Amino acid sequence: MKGGNYYRLRGRRLSLTLITVLFTTILLWACEKNNFVTTLLSGQDQFTWPSSESLVDAADNSSNSLTANGHSEDESSESSSVEETRISLEKNVEIQLTNVTTSHVPQWTESDGDKTFSTKKKVCNYAKGSWVADNQRPFYSGSGCQQWLSGMWACRLTQRTDFSYEGYRWQPKDCEFPEFERSAFLRRMQDKTIAFIGDSLGRQQFQSLMCMATGGEVSPEVEDIGREYDLVKHRGSIRPDGWVYRFPKTNTTILYYWSSTLADLVPINITDPTTDVAMHLDRPPSFMRKNLHRFDVLVLNTGHHWNRGKLRANRWVMYVNGKPIEDEGLAELANAKNFAVYSVTRWLDSQLSSHPRLKVFFRTISPRHFLNGDWNSGGSCDNTTPLKGGSEVVQDKSRDEVIEGAVRGTRVKLLDITALSELRDEGHISRYSVKATKGVNDCLHWCLPGIPDTWNELLAAQV
């Protein structure tokens, strides 16, 4: 009898096992048929630093004079950019993170008289699309917004007479792109801080967002809270290292901090005003490390300061692992830039688990349009006809392969503006300025209002 009970019990267990296997098989079959099943992407893929093979050093450009606060920043035109180079990654990196935002749009569906909840997946590449005419642009007056906008970038205040570049908007292909509305944007950003950290193109994006958020109107209620971040004009400095403003009604803060290379800068001898400055490629700026917990949205950019002229002018000496670079390959500026970009991206990715509300964007490089020379050798950009070179971006991949490669496999998002901005060569400062300076052309910075407004539209759509 005991033996019979044993076999009966064993038979029941086998039956249960068979039922379980059958049920699992049916479930897996159903999942394969279900269009809403997605693959989980890991953010922990490793990468290799770029090899020096096939990478060229940047051209040695003439330097600018030092500012009193220890760095050189060309206000009218930046030195020539480093040639963008491709990074080699480990073969096991399979995730391709481009400027794609996935959203789940909830909808109610009827089923047997009952309402059930379902989602539809929508994927949008905001960098793919076309420029279209729009007589509702710009978002703010080109002769206004003087509370936030630097006069050198307000082309309506210069000798320029053609402003057709203001009348276009970007339309991503096959996806909704909500119109920017300042009140709605500030409500969405209630109790949040948006931080831009980068070079003068980052400063342009910051000033653009301030103008967009205020409509370019005088706004005495907006508070200057730079002291809360120690962003004030120190004695002997030409300007502070950044600006911070708060909209009291929604408690929204918008911040800019100057860090043209996204590397930590530390004077080698703090007591010597002429000391060299250690430029730590493997260490994020101390301002970022100190204040990261205060940010809700962080937008980074770098690119145009990676040249020998800038390094000499600022007396920057590249460091890795706490000492000057000894590796000849890494000493090449293209490689050094890539190293720094990957380093800061991976560091931020490692911090996101501790800062769950933070969204980080790495903005791709803003294109230059110098023809027949560079900024200091007679280069110019005289075209005033919008979209002379075309109006559409059709490729899926970014034109900035360095930044695209750096964010791949991380939770840092790509703010891809390069290709769409390349189509707008008529939107630069060009030869115009508040005080006409013969022979000087700025084919790097943009007129405002202008192209950086679109960058902020892309940002607002993704936050």
Side-chain angles (χ1 to χ4, degrees):
M1 293 297 292
K2 290 183 179 179
N5 290 334
Y6 168 78
Y7 286 112
R8 281 195 296 272
L9 180 59
R10 185 178 180 184
R12 291 193 189 102
R13 288 177 178 173
L14 286 173
S15 298
L16 288 173
T17 302
L18 288 172
I19 291 171
T20 302
V21 170
L22 180 61
F23 178 77
T24 303
T25 302
I26 293 171
L27 181 62
L28 289 173
W29 177 84
C31 288
E32 289 175 354
K33 297 295 184 181
N34 192 334
N35 292 328
F36 302 130
V37 175
T38 58
T39 302
L40 213 57
L41 299 182
S42 167
Q44 305 303 319
D45 292 307
Q46 298 299 312
F47 61 95
T48 56
W49 294 119
S51 166
S52 60
E53 294 181 8
S54 304
L55 301 184
V56 295
D57 202 359
D60 189 1
N61 299 296
S62 56
S63 61
N64 298 300
S65 59
L66 267 177
T67 61
N69 60 343
H71 63 74
S72 167
E73 182 177 5
D74 186 2
E75 290 290 2
S76 61
S77 63
E78 306 255 4
S79 299
S80 62
S81 64
V82 178
E83 179 183 349
E84 294 300 316
T85 57
R86 182 182 299 272
I87 301 290
S88 61
L89 297 170
E90 289 186 1
K91 291 183 179 179
N92 66 338
V93 179
E94 299 175 351
I95 303 169
Q96 302 291 322
L97 287 185
T98 56
N99 187 32
V100 176
T101 297
T102 302
S103 61
H104 293 275
V105 183
Q107 291 187 342
W108 287 105
T109 59
E110 297 292 333
S111 175
D112 297 329
D114 296 326
K115 287 186 176 181
T116 59
F117 192 76
S118 68
T119 61
K120 285 188 177 180
K121 182 180 177 181
K122 181 181 179 182
V123 178
C124 179
N125 184 347
Y126 289 101
K128 186 177 180 180
S130 58
W131 289 100
V132 295
D134 187 344
N135 59 13
Q136 299 300 312
R137 301 302 169 101
F139 292 110
Y140 51 94
S141 167
S143 55
C145 201
Q146 296 182 33
Q147 188 175 358
W148 320 112
L149 178 56
S150 297
M152 60 188 174
W153 294 334
C155 288
R156 287 271 182 176
L157 303 181
T158 69
Q159 305 82 27
R160 184 164 183 161
T161 57
D162 180 90
F163 305 102
S164 57
Y165 63 87
E166 293 181 351
Y168 290 84
R169 63 178 171 85
W170 179 250
Q171 179 57 58
K173 182 177 176 61
D174 299 330
C175 63
E176 294 182 7
F177 192 45
E179 181 79 14
F180 181 90
E181 201 284 311
R182 56 180 174 134
S183 297
F185 175 75
L186 289 173
R187 286 195 301 270
R188 280 203 294 128
M189 295 295 105
Q190 185 162 348
D191 301 322
K192 298 185 185 301
T193 296
I194 305 169
F196 296 92
I197 297 182
D199 58 23
S200 57
L201 276 302
R203 183 180 168 199
Q204 282 211 298
Q205 189 173 0
F206 159 76
Q207 291 190 3
S208 163
L209 187 59
M210 288 299 302
C211 290
M212 292 169 68
T214 59
E217 300 172 0
V218 176
S219 306
E221 75 281 1
V222 177
E223 303 168 351
D224 182 344
I225 61 166
R227 289 193 177 276
E228 293 185 17
Y229 290 81
D230 194 31
L231 292 180
V232 296
K233 183 177 176 293
H234 295 288
R235 185 176 181 179
S237 299
I238 296 176
R239 67 182 70 83
D241 283 335
W243 293 264
V244 194
Y245 298 105
R246 180 171 293 152
F247 293 75
K249 187 174 180 180
T250 58
N251 192 34
T252 303
T253 301
I254 303 178
L255 171 154
Y256 166 76
Y257 178 75
W258 186 91
S259 179
S260 63
T261 62
L262 303 178
D264 197 23
L265 301 175
V266 181
I268 295 174
N269 183 358
I270 194 67
T271 63
D272 181 4
T274 64
T275 185
D276 287 340
V277 177
M279 177 180 168
H280 295 275
L281 304 184
D282 53 352
R283 212 161 71 191
S286 59
F287 178 86
M288 187 191 302
R289 300 198 310 269
K290 179 181 178 181
N291 294 289
L292 190 66
H293 67 284
R294 307 171 77 171
F295 304 154
D296 298 277
V297 178
L298 174 60
V299 183
L300 306 176
N301 89 284
T302 188
H304 294 290
H305 275 252
W306 289 90
N307 61 77
R308 294 294 177 189
K310 294 292 185 184
L311 265 65
R312 283 200 305 267
N314 291 308
R315 298 192 294 270
W316 291 341
V317 180
M318 295 189 294
Y319 272 54
V320 171
N321 294 326
K323 58 184 180 180
I325 289 177
E326 298 176 354
D327 180 86
E328 292 183 2
L330 188 54
E332 294 179 2
L333 281 183
N335 292 353
K337 174 201 168 187
N338 297 352
F339 186 100
V341 165
Y342 272 68
S343 178
V344 71
T345 303
R346 263 45 187 188
W347 180 81
L348 283 165
D349 185 54
S350 73
Q351 298 298 306
L352 287 176
S353 295
S354 303
H355 303 81
R357 77 173 191 274
L358 175 62
K359 294 183 179 179
V360 181
F361 296 84
F362 212 132
R363 203 203 74 214
T364 60
I365 197 165
S366 175
R368 309 160 75 253
H369 288 95
F370 287 99
L371 295 175
N372 303 316
D374 215 320
W375 69 275
N376 58 351
S377 58
S380 62
C381 46
D382 293 331
N383 176 43
T384 57
T385 303
L387 307 174
K388 193 173 182 179
S391 63
E392 188 176 13
V393 174
V394 297
Q395 75 267 15
D396 292 312
K397 290 190 174 184
S398 174
R399 296 276 287 181
D400 188 339
E401 296 177 350
V402 173
I403 306 302
E404 183 182 45
V407 304
R408 185 178 297 129
T410 76
R411 289 163 289 181
V412 176
K413 300 178 184 295
L414 192 70
L415 184 58
D416 192 2
I417 58 87
T418 303
L420 63 90
S421 302
E422 283 179 338
L423 297 172
R424 302 303 307 277
D425 63 310
E426 87 287 2
H428 288 293
I429 307 294
S430 187
R431 64 179 181 273
Y432 305 102
S433 60
V434 177
K435 295 180 180 180
T437 306
K438 189 175 181 180
V440 175
N441 283 265
D442 186 353
C443 304
L444 174 66
H445 296 100
W446 303 91
C447 291
L448 288 176
I451 310 307
D453 301 336
T454 297
W455 304 350
N456 283 321
E457 286 187 272
L458 267 66
L459 175 65
Q462 295 177 76
V463 297

